[in-house]
Amino acid sequence: MELGKVTVSINKAINAQEVAVKEKHARTCILGTHHEKGAQTFWSVVNRLPLSGNAVLCWKFCHVFHKLLRDGHSNVLKDSVRYKNELSDMSRMWGHLSEGYGQLCSIYLKLLRTKMEFHTKNPRFPGNLQMSDRQLDEAGENDVNNFFQLTVEMFDYLECELNLFQTVFSSLDMSRSVSVTATGQCRLAPLIQVILDCSHLYDYTVKLLFKLHSCLPADTLQGHRDRFLEQFRKLKDLFYRSSNLQYFKRLIQIPQLPENPPNFLRASALSEHISPVVVIPAEASSPDSEPITDLVEMDTASQSLFDNKFDDIFGSSFSSDPFNFNSQNGMNKDDKDRLIEQLYGEIAALKEELENFKAESARGAVQLRGRASELEAELAEQRHLKQQAQDESEFLRTELEELKKQREDTEKAQRSLTEIERRAQANEQRYSKLKEKYSELVQNHADLLRKNAEVTKQVTVARQAQGDMEREKKELEDSFQRVSEQAQRKSQEQAEVLDTLKRELAASRQELQVLQGTLESSTQVGVEQSTRIAGLEQEKVSLSRAAERHGEEVAALRVELQQLRDTLSHEQESRKMELEVLQTQLREKVPRGHLSVPVPAELRGIGRAGGSSVRVWGWLPAGVVGAVTPALTRQESKEQVLQQRLAEEQLALLQGTAREAERMVQDALSRLEDPTHIGCTSSADCLLSRTLAASECVERLRDAHSKYLSNRSAVGSLLPCLALFAHLVSDTLLQGSATSHVAPMEPADRLLEMCKQCGSEALSYLRALQDPGTVEGADCSPVMTCLGRISAIGEELRPRGLDVKQEELGDLVDKEMAATAAAIETASARIEEMLSKARAGDTGVKLEVNERILGSCTGLMQAIHVLVLASKDLQREIVEGGRVSQGQGCRQGAGRAWGSGCLTAGGHRALAGDVLL
């Protein structure tokens, strides 16, 4: 085929008119690729077209190029790979235009790039994707990993096809008959190639998924099934919408997909699968057959012309000669007739020989023309290969220079890695010093808490004394009532009782003053201790923040180290791939007798990159191996040493933290049996608050442990959870023991037993974390179960119906004091009334005795009133003290002000005892 004719057809097929590409021009372009065995002519013409300036021109180029990739020569793909980056740049450029053909061209160019990459990675697949089941199995090399990767690539390929399908439909006004207009046909024409590709991709995807489900678990392929179902629904809808368009009805018969997608979980469903078949009407004969047809017609015409001339000279056959009397009357033929018949036979034989000679001449001419075309194509191909070899040699020189630069960069990275390691060691030393300082602070805090516990015991004694005073006050009130009732009958006895009451009142006042002094000193000491504890807490918070900042710095350094490792690994892989390609190319270029050395073992073998096999041969030039192999070996050894060191440090850090946590829990368990701890008491509400905090910490610890198992470098999130876990579990155990001291016998025994079991489970979990062999099987669920049971027992021990809010306690005290004052005033009024009656009805000695008795009662009432006022002031101070220590206390109940503090991790109480109101 002439080169000029192919060029004219390409220019006619790819023009700026918004009409569909004519089939005859596209067919000529396809035949041109087969005649020249490549696409050099096509790209030489296309490179002169303004594809970036006209969207319609670019759209029709994509259509023609798609047809060449499908039906053209196999070398079209090889000749087009070098233009892949230009297609990507053009796709990004057209993607910025949202109207007209801009988005269509962008998506179509992405599809063509994806198709080229797919066929490059999978060279067994032809351009038209027509393969048998046996060829499909051979493409996967009977390896489930290859089938898995091939299915993913087909999903990506089909996704690009469906995106173009949907974009074309969304750009058309489907409410009108757009398929009969020239502009609509221009947009719809490329979809014929898309439909052909989609039918094959769908069929191969179904078969590969059934094959994968027969080899792999169903859970592993859940992502494949979800992606297939999504593409199945889209493809079914697009096939249905396309089959209703008038334009497609005369050009292609579109299959319909089944109503329901295949059930890959049932192996027998493969027999129900029907491959979709796209039917295209038969086209006219190709132009290649025209010269042969013309030649045959020419031979037939010349034969008929020869026959006519023969008949004109010799006449028609003798059977039809009216003057042939011999055949009519049956007379014998003479010698002349026999000679004529002989001549006729010779002429017929000559005619046959002439026809055979002409046919052979025509066939020979056609063969010679074909051979000449093949020789011309081979000559052009040799020229192209020569130019390509020159380009490749230049490219190899550039690659060698880049390898040298990369080696220098690797050495710089190694030096920076050494500096980072030195900084990491310095940070580790700083962390050790901070840890020692934190341990000293924790010990000082424990000592202060012990001193606070002693002060709390003194306050408890003072409160008990105050309770005794309150009971004596009640007894005085009862005595006063009895004296009031018997005042008329037993005046002498009342006088003696009054003397006794006066003495007791004086003693009570003295005791009250002593108690007030003790309470004031205790309150001052408690305030000072609270101030010191607050300062220590602030210092602890600052140290914790410093430790967190240090941990963040260590994490940042580790991230930086991991990035460097990833960079080194990526560079190593890229060097391996480049060396493999370089080796193959040099093997083709360098003669076998040149100097070469064996390739190291780590570079020899067969690798798989991007779905295509790359073979590393056993020989390379000596200069390349000597420059690259030592750098790769040093990088690998250095990386292994760093990884091993990091893993050992992380494991040692985890084991040390687990051991410290184990000691803390073990200390709490030992305090449960300590006799000095028996005097500690707590409330059920405080126990519930500690149990809730411990349960939340266990949940966070479980999540951190799961993250650590999935990524061993995430130990930084597990260590804080372990420390908090040990602290809260120890606190819960001590609170449970203290609560059992004031609980009934049966719940107390159950609570104490459950605390011991919880401690044992916590120790088992922490010991499992210290052993590298059992760290994966460590489970903190038993600890969570024990905490739930402790919480249930605590709910049973909570007082029912006696709860009084903290803000209501002061009002309750004021009401009681007001009621007491009102009772005293009532009693005083009754005494005054009795005195006035005695003055009115008695005289003499009796009146004097009654006045004395009633005067003593009045004095007693006044003394009781003063005592109530002093008790009211004392009670107010106690209530205010309870409010101040509310942050350390757990809960207050109606009639009881609980001042007991929550137990710390060391097992000491911040504030113990209770005050009866």
Side-chain angles (χ1 to χ4, degrees), residues 541-552:
V541 170
S542 62
L543 289 176
S544 300
R545 292 176 180 173
E548 290 177 355
R549 288 194 300 270
H550 174 71
E552 291 174 356

Side-chain angles (χ1 to χ4, degrees), residues 103-139:
Q103 291 294 327
L104 295 178
C105 292
S106 176
I107 296 176
Y108 207 166
L109 290 169
K110 291 180 182 178
L111 170 60
L112 295 175
R113 179 184 173 89
T114 304
K115 183 176 179 66
M116 293 167 64
E117 292 176 349
F118 177 80
H119 289 289
T120 303
K121 294 179 181 178
N122 304 279
R124 295 178 182 268
F125 282 82
N128 56 10
L129 296 175
Q130 293 181 359
M131 297 180 69
S132 62
D133 293 343
R134 182 179 59 81
Q135 292 174 337
L136 184 62
D137 293 338
E138 292 176 355

Side-chain angles (χ1 to χ4, degrees), residues 287-572:
D288 291 344
S289 62
E290 292 178 359
I292 301 176
T293 304
D294 296 340
L295 184 61
V296 174
E297 291 176 356
M298 186 182 299
D299 294 340
T300 306
S302 61
Q303 180 66 29
S304 61
L305 180 61
F306 178 80
D307 292 340
N308 292 333
K309 290 181 179 180
F310 184 84
D311 292 338
D312 292 340
I313 295 174
F314 298 99
S316 59
S317 62
F318 292 99
S319 61
S320 60
D321 188 2
F323 300 102
N324 189 0
F325 300 104
N326 295 329
S327 61
Q328 296 178 3
N329 52 19
M331 295 178 62
N332 295 329
K333 299 179 181 179
D334 54 7
D335 296 336
K336 186 178 180 179
D337 294 333
R338 287 193 296 274
L339 180 60
I340 292 173
E341 290 179 356
Q342 184 178 359
L343 292 174
Y344 271 114
E346 292 177 357
I347 291 171
L350 291 174
K351 286 181 179 180
E352 292 179 358
E353 292 178 359
L354 181 61
E355 291 176 358
N356 294 332
F357 176 75
K358 289 180 178 180
E360 290 177 358
S361 299
R363 287 193 297 270
V366 172
Q367 291 177 357
L368 291 175
R369 293 192 190 99
R371 180 59 180 168
S373 299
E374 292 178 357
L375 292 175
E376 292 176 356
E378 290 179 358
L379 179 60
E381 184 177 3
Q382 291 296 330
R383 292 174 181 172
H384 176 67
L385 290 175
K386 178 181 178 182
Q387 183 64 31
Q388 190 175 11
Q390 293 176 356
D391 296 340
E392 289 177 353
S393 62
E394 185 66 26
F395 177 74
L396 290 175
R397 294 191 189 97
T398 307
E399 288 293 327
L400 287 175
E401 294 177 356
E402 291 180 356
L403 285 175
K404 293 179 181 178
K405 293 180 181 179
Q406 289 177 359
R407 183 181 64 182
E408 296 176 357
D409 295 339
T410 303
E411 293 175 355
K412 293 180 181 178
Q414 288 178 351
R415 289 192 294 269
S416 62
L417 182 60
T418 304
E419 181 65 20
I420 290 172
E421 289 177 355
R422 186 182 61 78
R423 292 172 57 190
Q425 291 177 357
N427 289 330
E428 288 293 335
Q429 293 177 358
R430 290 176 56 195
Y431 176 74
S432 301
K433 294 179 181 178
L434 288 175
K435 186 176 180 181
E436 293 175 358
K437 185 63 177 177
Y438 178 73
S439 301
E440 294 176 0
L441 291 175
V442 169
Q443 185 64 30
N444 294 334
H445 184 244
D447 296 336
L448 291 175
L449 290 176
R450 294 189 186 97
K451 295 179 181 179
N452 192 16
E454 295 176 359
V455 175
T456 303
K457 291 180 181 179
Q458 295 177 1
V459 174
T460 303
V461 173
R463 289 179 177 173
Q464 290 177 355
Q466 186 183 6
D468 297 336
M469 184 188 67
E470 292 293 332
R471 287 192 294 272
E472 291 175 359
K473 184 186 74 172
K474 291 182 179 180
E475 292 175 0
L476 289 174
E477 290 177 356
D478 296 336
S479 301
F480 171 74
Q481 291 178 359
R482 288 193 299 270
V483 169
S484 299
E485 293 174 354
Q486 298 176 1
Q488 296 293 335
R489 296 174 298 171
K490 299 180 179 179
S491 58
Q492 188 63 33
E493 294 177 357
Q494 287 178 353
E496 295 176 355
V497 171
L498 286 174
D499 295 335
T500 305
L501 289 175
K502 287 179 181 180
R503 289 191 299 269
E504 292 178 353
L505 181 59
S508 299
R509 287 178 180 177
Q510 293 177 358
E511 292 177 356
L512 180 59
Q513 292 176 357
V514 173
L515 288 175
Q516 286 179 350
T518 305
L519 181 61
E520 289 176 356
S521 61
S522 300
T523 305
Q524 292 178 357
V525 173
V527 170
E528 293 176 357
Q529 293 294 335
S530 300
T531 305
R532 294 181 62 186
I533 290 172
L536 290 174
E537 289 292 335
Q538 293 178 358
E539 187 175 359
K540 178 182 178 182
V541 170
S542 62
L543 289 176
S544 300
R545 292 176 180 173
E548 290 177 355
R549 288 194 300 270
H550 174 71
E552 291 174 356
E553 292 176 358
V554 173
L557 290 175
R558 288 175 179 171
V559 170
E560 185 177 359
L561 180 60
Q562 185 64 30
Q563 291 177 355
L564 289 174
R565 289 176 180 170
D566 295 340
T567 304
L568 291 175
S569 177
H570 179 69
E571 290 177 357
Q572 183 179 358

